[in-house]
Amino acid sequence: MTDRNILCLRERSMTLSRWRLLLLAAVVSALVAGTAATAYAATSHELYYESFETTNASWTPTSIQFGIFEWGTPTWSDGPMAAKSGVKCWGTDLATGPADDACEEVVSSAIVLPAVDPGQSLKLSYWAYSGFQSWWRYHSLGLFYTSSDGETWTRRSEFLSNMGASAWQEYQFDVTEYAGGPLYLKFHIDAVSTYYGDANRDSGLFVDDVKVTRYDTDRPITLSLTASEDAPSHSSCPWLYTWDGSGYSRDNDIYPVMRYTGSEGRDYYVLSQPLVERGGMYPIQVREDASEVSYTDYAGLSAVDHAAGVSVGTDASGHVAAYADAGLVALVSAIKDGASDTAGVLATRDSAGTEMYSGDTVELDFGDADVSSGARLVLRSHGFIEGDGIERPFVGRPALVVEVPAGGGGWTEVGRMLPRMDWSEGVFDLTGKVAGSGPVRVRVRSISHGRIYHLLDFAALSTGTEPAFTVTPLRMSDATQAGTDVVGLLNAADDRYVTLTPGNSFTAEFEKAPLAGAERDFLFTSEGYYVPKAGTYFIYTWDGEAWKMRSALSFDTE
């Protein structure tokens, strides 16, 4: 490999079976067949180097949920077990690995870069050790961003399954655009290490030996690349974070399945995580954690007040319903696809339910429950999990469809529950929709695609008069994105959007209203859509002895 230059384009975000490279063209200027391996002469000058041996370089870890990045010596057996050089580095829980549901990041202090002359370039390099399970089953990934102000971020690469091949790897990025100003770096992980009882754990993400180098070139090489990928299945939608009294805690994704332009829709979600007031306001944050660009047209928050011992929920149409926590009617049977009885796994909220692939049904039988004065169905589910089932075609927006018996032995839809990337609960008012005598029967049907299933964890029936509750819309008093006021963009659905690229967010505050009951829940309403971004291509060239990573590119899929 010494008689000519070689370019290698590696897609290392997912296994190749999930990605399809349609077209790749590489044109290297100033090269002709048979020339020597050295394409240009260059001198280099190291401008910045940090090995983290004596200090943590004033990098700042942020615990978004369940754990933080740490500076020190890695000792966990499933991690690198040692820094790249010396004994210290930054990493995700150096002794035990990332916790379940860990969502965390670390941000560098400002790296001030000098201006450059024409023909000069600045290259950032670092060594990283990373390892994450498959996104679909475990929702795990790492992301790397750069910024000029520490507020607005540009995604440069993502790290998914087996990125490091159980070894430290060097990564290099062109940062010439930041010349003459500050450069901030951010490393983010979103990991579920042992979800669903699986013994496999994520290695996490570790960073060491960060360097910025200036290169003076006399004959630069230009690479022209054209590539395309299938739309990444691991993209989701923006995530909602709630103020818990000390920071923002991740709750769930919003406007799920509103994918691509033209699929904009309104989403209703009753918060699962506590929302604590701050100075008479309820703060929330919407973050773009996944590999996509999101467009939020509207955001609203309502207080739902009720008596103690009462819970509330909503369906996909925004109809809020309440039920008493005590006295729920249990299942007599839950027949899956006309065969097995799954009532046992649907009896409790224990995250161990039944897998609902596309087209699967569960017929719920609550026996001779008295529904003469009202009935409400309660469901708990977790969406978008990759399993081992038969590949199913795409037949429509994913959902759990609630159906009741119709004439002639068929079924009629009475509501839908949108699947989410974390656990959520839906409540459906069936008053007047199910038989007033005889067994109360309801069917849940799954819409999904591929080998993706929704996990139905809990089903119960609330009967009798619905508990009283009040819904009070709260006024949005403030909303900002990177220091810019966006209240006007979010207050109405008017096709004016707050656009979030990966790693960025907006915050909003809603005025507290007087409590109209013993307890308060919150209904978050949002409208928008998202456009997936493809995974990262890492570009390598052969230097005569080894493949060297030179740059990384990501592509939109729309």
Side-chain angles (χ1 to χ4, degrees):
M1 294 188 182
T2 59
D3 61 340
R4 67 181 63 224
N5 283 75
I6 299 175
L7 170 70
C8 175
L9 187 69
R10 298 181 180 178
E11 198 292 309
R12 292 173 53 191
S13 296
M14 294 288 283
T15 57
L16 290 178
S17 63
R18 295 198 180 282
W19 301 92
R20 180 184 45 173
L21 183 60
L22 301 179
L23 177 64
L24 167 62
V27 179
V28 183
S29 64
L31 294 181
V32 292
T35 59
T38 301
Y40 61 89
T43 57
S44 62
H45 304 271
E46 185 177 293
L47 303 177
Y48 172 91
Y49 176 70
E50 180 56 64
S51 64
F52 305 114
E53 287 304 298
T54 58
T55 73
N56 64 7
S58 297
W59 286 29
T60 304
T62 300
S63 177
I64 300 173
Q65 192 152 339
F66 304 122
I68 60 172
F69 270 87
E70 296 177 329
W71 168 65
T73 301
T75 59
W76 184 44
S77 58
D78 286 344
M81 287 291 288
K84 174 58 180 68
S85 66
V87 296
K88 294 182 179 180
C89 65
W90 274 97
T92 46
D93 202 327
L94 302 172
T96 61
D100 290 357
D101 289 327
C103 183
E104 47 199 286
E105 58 194 29
V106 61
V107 178
S108 75
S109 54
I111 302 172
V112 180
L113 302 178
V116 295
D117 296 328
Q120 294 179 327
S121 63
L122 300 180
K123 300 290 185 180
L124 166 74
S125 66
Y126 59 81
W127 287 80
Y129 182 105
S130 63
F132 298 96
Q133 303 296 332
S134 164
W135 165 268
W136 268 118
R137 186 172 178 84
Y138 296 93
H139 308 296
S140 299
L141 81 164
L143 294 165
F144 168 60
Y145 304 92
T146 57
S147 172
S148 62
D149 57 11
E151 293 185 359
T152 302
W153 297 92
T154 299
R155 189 194 70 161
R156 304 302 294 267
S157 69
E158 62 183 33
F159 307 94
L160 288 175
S161 52
N162 303 320
M163 287 292 295
S166 300
W168 284 95
Q169 300 288 318
E170 186 177 20
Y171 298 89
Q172 184 173 225
F173 300 86
D174 190 301
V175 291
T176 309
E177 64 187 284
Y178 298 98
L183 167 66
Y184 294 86
L185 316 177
K186 179 168 72 172
F187 294 88
H188 172 101
I189 75 158
D190 191 347
V192 181
S193 303
T194 57
Y195 226 11
Y196 311 126
D198 195 289
N200 294 326
R201 291 190 63 85
D202 294 320
S203 299
L205 182 60
F206 301 79
V207 181
D208 203 0
D209 294 344
V210 179
K211 183 190 301 184
V212 177
T213 304
R214 188 189 76 210
Y215 287 91
D216 307 315
T217 63
D218 57 13
R219 284 199 300 161
I221 289 180
T222 300
L223 301 179
S224 299
L225 305 176
T226 302
S228 178
E229 293 180 300
D230 289 336
S233 13
H234 61 273
S235 63
S236 166
C237 21
W239 282 75
L240 176 67
Y241 289 74
T242 59
W243 181 257
D244 63 9
S246 60
Y248 287 104
S249 177
R250 187 169 64 170
D251 192 311
N252 220 323
D253 55 336
I254 59 173
Y255 52 83
V257 308
M258 314 302 180
R259 189 168 176 153
Y260 295 123
T261 305
S263 296
E264 180 175 340
R266 180 154 290 203
D267 177 44
Y268 305 90
Y269 171 66
V270 174
L271 304 188
S272 299
Q273 298 298 322
L275 177 55
V276 178
E277 69 167 292
R278 183 179 63 186
M281 300 292 175
Y282 289 117
I284 62 95
Q285 186 179 76
V286 173
R287 294 172 56 100
E288 190 50 80
D289 288 340
S291 299
E292 67 202 12
V293 179
S294 62
Y295 302 85
T296 303
D297 193 12
Y298 173 79
L301 186 70
S302 297
V304 186
D305 296 338
H306 50 78
V310 171
S311 294
V312 298
T314 182
D315 59 15
S317 298
H319 180 87
V320 179
Y323 65 92
D325 298 331
L328 289 174
V329 178
L331 287 162
V332 172
S333 65
I335 305 302
K336 170 79 173 294
D337 293 334
S340 59
D341 189 350
T342 62
V345 297
L346 297 181
T348 57
R349 297 176 175 89
D350 58 3
S351 304
T354 184
E355 299 175 356
M356 302 285 290
Y357 289 91
S358 188
D360 285 350
T361 61
V362 174
E363 186 175 327
L364 309 174
D365 187 339
F366 294 99
D368 295 328
D370 182 4
V371 297
S372 59
S373 56
R376 291 151 301 280
L377 176 69
V378 181
L379 299 178
R380 182 176 188 260
S381 72
H382 185 302
F384 306 112
I385 304 168
E386 184 175 26
D388 302 319
I390 299 173
E391 188 85 17
R392 313 283 176 98
F394 181 83
V395 294
R397 285 185 177 181
L400 289 175
V401 183
V402 177
E403 301 170 324
V404 297
W411 296 89
T412 298
E413 178 180 336
V414 294
R416 293 191 174 204
M417 181 176 182
L418 296 185
R420 300 181 192 274
M421 301 300 286
D422 212 332
W423 294 104
S424 63
E425 191 166 284
V427 182
F428 303 83
D429 189 355
L430 303 182
T431 302
K433 300 175 182 177
V434 289
S437 61
V440 176
R441 296 164 53 228
V442 183
R443 191 173 79 166
V444 179
R445 175 171 55 89
S446 175
I447 300 176
S448 187
H449 57 86
R451 295 186 175 91
I452 308 306
Y453 66 85
H454 311 311
L455 188 65
L456 183 61
D457 175 55
F458 177 73
L461 189 69
S462 171
T463 60
T465 302
E466 182 178 22
F469 64 92
T470 60
V471 179
T472 305
L474 304 178
R475 177 180 174 272
M476 180 187 293
S477 62
D478 181 72
T480 58
Q481 178 195 24
T484 300
D485 184 352
V486 292
V487 171
L489 299 180
L490 296 172
N491 257 335
D494 54 7
D495 295 330
R496 296 187 303 140
Y497 302 92
V498 174
T499 302
L500 294 181
T501 55
N504 294 290
S505 64
F506 69 80
T507 58
E509 292 189 342
F510 297 85
E511 295 179 356
K512 179 183 177 182
L515 185 64
E519 295 179 352
R520 170 167 287 178
D521 282 294
F522 296 92
L523 173 68
F524 187 76
T525 305
S526 58
E527 187 168 321
Y529 68 96
Y530 61 95
V531 177
K533 293 181 72 69
T536 303
Y537 282 108
F538 292 90
I539 301 173
Y540 290 72
T541 61
W542 183 260
D543 69 357
E545 297 180 354
W547 289 104
K548 298 287 289 185
M549 185 267 186
R550 304 298 187 184
S551 188
L553 295 173
S554 296
F555 298 88
D556 292 339
T557 60
E558 190 175 41

